[in-house]
Amino acid sequence: MGPGPSDVSPRVLEALSRPTIGHLDPEFIGLMDEIKTLLHYAFKTNNELTIPVSAPGSAGMEACFVNLVSPGDKVIVCQNGVFGGRMKENVERCGGVAIMVEDSWGSPVDADKVKAAFSNNTDVKILAFVHAETSTGVESDAATLCRLAAENNALSIVDTVTSVAGIDVDVDGWGADAVYSGTQKCLSCVPGISPVTFSARAVEVISNRQHKVQSWFLDMQLVMGYWGGNTKRAYHHTAPVNAMYALHESLIMLKEEGLENSWARHQLNHRALVSGLEAMGLSMVVDAAHRLPQLNLVSIPEGADDAAVRGALLSQYSLEIGAGLGALAGNSWRIGLMGHASNQKNVLLCLSALDNVLTAQGAKIVSGVAVAAALAEYG
Ligand SMILES: *Cc1c(COP(=O)(O)O)cnc(C)c1O
């Protein structure tokens, strides 16, 4: 129950162990096509260029920046946690100019500040932001931010690593241009693959680049020779065949459950966890309006030792929760309820284990009431 990787379902682990076949085997090409179709569903998009990058979420991030940012391009980067800072790094390493819009850790991106940044800067090429900040448990308003980008003739780059399958990700509805995700958060697949999708506008920018993409491996024009449309597939790199079996299975499981049902399950377990934590006397860090159901920030109560509590949860209950990061380090915990791990059993285990560990440490909490409060949410 940390900030990822989340628990991987037995079905996905079974898929991972199937025999490895050639990465240009007709069977594997068929599986690649199915993965692309399933990713259209997960991202809610019809974008033709929708593929899994053969590397973790960070590579999906990099794929979006290296293909879309050319030297000298101005990019507005929103930062309200760890991952916005990495976007800035990406822009600068591509030779772009990052115009930072900063919000405090624990708050969403402020659209008015983004609007002002567009007014104060001409020729902005791209707006980049994180939809679900895993470092703080905050959701930003992706629809509004993508609309602002489009109104200012800029492309949008959106990080949905933690959001896909946990909350609504509506790539076509938002009009987003380059969106990347990850397998190890709410998709409950093994770490190491990053689904990405590019709009027709983004593909046009990539096709008309004057500078070669600085990364050979992530150059979408080359990657498309392997993953692409109707032409004969050519060797680019050897896809992680078994990891693709796993991604395929996790996407089938998402389709079977249904996106809306998956979001509703994440909401329900989140509500139950919050009810239990609040009954215990703990307080949530993020305003209710911007909370991510899959990543819950809770304040560390008086009398509790951050590292000792997490250590006891791990050693006595085999339960991992995440430490706070940056401005939130030492005063909060990050409790993940992602994908397969977002279930009633985990919520109840976490609440009773926390109650026991905090009580043993003499922390100021109300003991013995959390599980009942959570159960009341399940009705
Ligand atoms: C986890 C995460 C990433 C990076 O993914 P990796 O698989 O660790 O490379 C990027 N952005 C966000 C918001 C994340 O939560």
Side-chain angles (χ1 to χ4, degrees), residues 56-59 61 83 86 130 132-134 159 161-162 180 184-185:
S58 305
M61 176 188 282
F83 293 100
R86 292 192 180 179
V130 179
E133 243 305 346
T134 322
D159 180 320
V161 174
T162 281
Y180 59 94
Q184 53 137 326
K185 309 281 167 76

